[in-house]
Amino acid sequence: MPFAEQRIHQALDVGEFVPYFQPLVDLRVGSIHGFEILARWIHPDHGLIPPNKFIPLVERYGMINRLSASLLTQAFASARTLPKNFGLSINLSPSQLHDRTLPSLIHRMADEAEFDLKHLTVELTETALVDDLDLAGAVAADFKRLGIRLALDDFGTGYSSLLHLQSLPFDELKVDISFVRSMVESRQSRKITAAVISLGLSLGLQTVAEGVEEQSQANLLAWRGCTFGQGFLYGRPIPAAELLASLSQGHPGVCATTEVPASIGDPFLSLDAHPTER
Ligand code: C2E
Ligand code: CA
Ligand code: CA
């Protein structure tokens, strides 16, 4: 589906790009803590188009800030119907971390919508940081001055992750879906996931596991100390019109996190235990 530059302009002008919202859930109790904004294109002929089909084009045509601004304006408006302490997270493209005008643009939009920026998290992937870490650091510092939180997305898939964790003032670490997907079957993934969560905890960061589809994954993650989960177990991305109704849906929590998940067995005999625990 190749779209011409003019068609993307038109889609922005007439408001065909909309935010969908996926809940982030406190793993222990199952309550919704906030929502990640995920871009969708409601195309009159092609229906709902996912972001990987249009974000690269929007970037190439230099319209990514317009798209983010449009999504945030709509999301801030929807947030008015939510309880005040709910968080919103927005994904930014790598090039946007090299644009020093973006923090003030977001500041203005939040002011107009009366959205408190301490409830906004900006999600960055490591590719955003590779090209020019100094400039990315300056933009990140501008975000922090406004009270905006920073999350390192898809953690574990990029390169020099640890360098980036050290260089920028992150508040949150998102464990990539690929580790979560295989953790129930693979001891190796469980070990990596546990190490990533421990790293996050020891750096004082909140940890979010992506792609949680089964209760067994949620149990293992909570047992390892992960705070939040996101995935089809708790809800698929939904349009703004369904946000309020989604708040009244209950989600499964993990009743006793100190209890060892059945899949692990005795933690002190298990190979999943830390060497010191064994
Ligand atoms: P992401 O930030 O890693 O977002 C998570 C993706 O995983 C979303 O795909 C979500 O629908 C999907 N997902 C969530 N839970 C599950 C699950 O339990 N199982 C599986 N299999 N998938 C799950 P989506 O919405 O297609 O977004 C894909 C990517 O597009 C995002 O990955 C993000 O990198 C990018 N993206 C989305 N919106 C924006 C945006 O506004 N700006 C930029 N720059 N990128 C965006
Ligand atoms: Ca994300
Ligand atoms: Ca991710």
Side-chain angles (χ1 to χ4, degrees):
M1 260 184 281
F3 295 102
E5 185 171 351
Q6 193 47 38
R7 183 64 189 88
I8 306 261
H9 260 296
Q10 185 197 356
L12 274 165
D13 288 343
V14 300
E16 287 174 359
F17 294 113
V18 298
Y20 266 46
F21 300 86
Q22 188 179 33
L24 274 88
V25 168
D26 183 320
L27 282 168
R28 256 152 269 214
V29 288
S31 59
I32 299 181
H33 167 77
F35 293 91
E36 178 174 357
I37 301 165
L38 293 160
R40 296 288 182 270
W41 185 354
I42 314 277
H43 194 287
D45 305 321
H46 301 290
L48 198 67
I49 303 183
N52 59 346
K53 293 276 191 327
F54 62 85
I55 295 277
L57 293 173
V58 177
E59 282 171 356
R60 191 185 311 155
Y61 301 142
M63 290 182 253
I64 194 71
N65 272 2
R66 262 192 82 192
L67 175 68
S68 298
S70 164
L71 296 174
L72 272 177
T73 305
Q74 296 176 68
F76 287 157
S78 302
R80 284 175 178 271
T81 61
L82 299 174
K84 282 273 171 269
N85 56 346
F86 269 68
L88 285 180
S89 304
I90 178 106
N91 294 283
L92 293 187
S93 292
S95 62
Q96 294 176 283
L97 214 63
H98 301 145
D99 177 357
R100 288 207 76 171
T101 65
L102 188 61
S104 51
L105 173 69
I106 295 179
H107 188 196
R108 269 201 312 280
M109 288 189 312
D111 255 5
E112 274 163 29
E114 294 174 25
F115 183 89
D116 186 345
L117 280 178
K118 74 170 188 281
H119 297 304
L120 182 69
T121 301
V122 155
E123 297 195 4
L124 308 168
T125 55
E126 291 171 57
T127 37
L129 312 173
V130 174
D131 292 343
D132 187 340
L133 195 53
D134 286 343
L135 183 52
V139 178
D142 290 342
F143 282 134
K144 295 290 290 188
R145 267 191 289 277
L146 293 172
I148 297 173
R149 303 173 72 255
L150 295 182
L152 186 50
D153 206 353
D154 306 337
F155 185 77
T157 56
Y159 64 92
S160 48
S161 307
L162 297 176
L163 170 73
H164 294 139
L165 262 188
Q166 190 192 33
S167 319
L168 290 188
F170 285 106
D171 303 280
E172 185 179 306
L173 197 153
K174 297 193 84 170
V175 183
D176 189 65
I177 193 168
S178 56
F179 300 120
V180 177
R181 190 178 287 143
S182 52
M183 69 185 291
V184 175
E185 294 81 35
S186 153
R187 193 169 69 85
Q188 182 97 334
S189 304
R190 278 203 294 282
K191 285 277 186 190
I192 293 173
T193 310
V196 170
I197 294 168
S198 299
L199 177 68
L201 290 174
S202 58
L203 292 173
L205 307 179
Q206 278 187 342
T207 47
V208 181
E210 307 189 283
V212 182
E213 295 187 359
E214 292 162 18
Q215 189 61 47
S216 53
Q217 292 166 326
N219 294 347
L220 277 167
L221 289 159
W223 181 61
R224 277 301 179 195
C226 185
T227 328
F228 298 107
Q230 182 181 355
F232 297 166
L233 176 68
Y234 305 111
R236 288 175 186 259
I238 49 168
E242 292 171 28
L243 267 180
L244 262 189
S246 78
L247 295 185
S248 53
Q249 282 159 18
H251 296 291
V254 176
C255 294
T257 48
T258 44
E259 227 170 69
V260 183
S263 52
I264 298 290
D266 184 334
F268 298 109
L269 299 177
S270 158
L271 289 170
D272 277 284
H274 291 302
T276 48
E277 290 169 338
R278 268 185 256 145

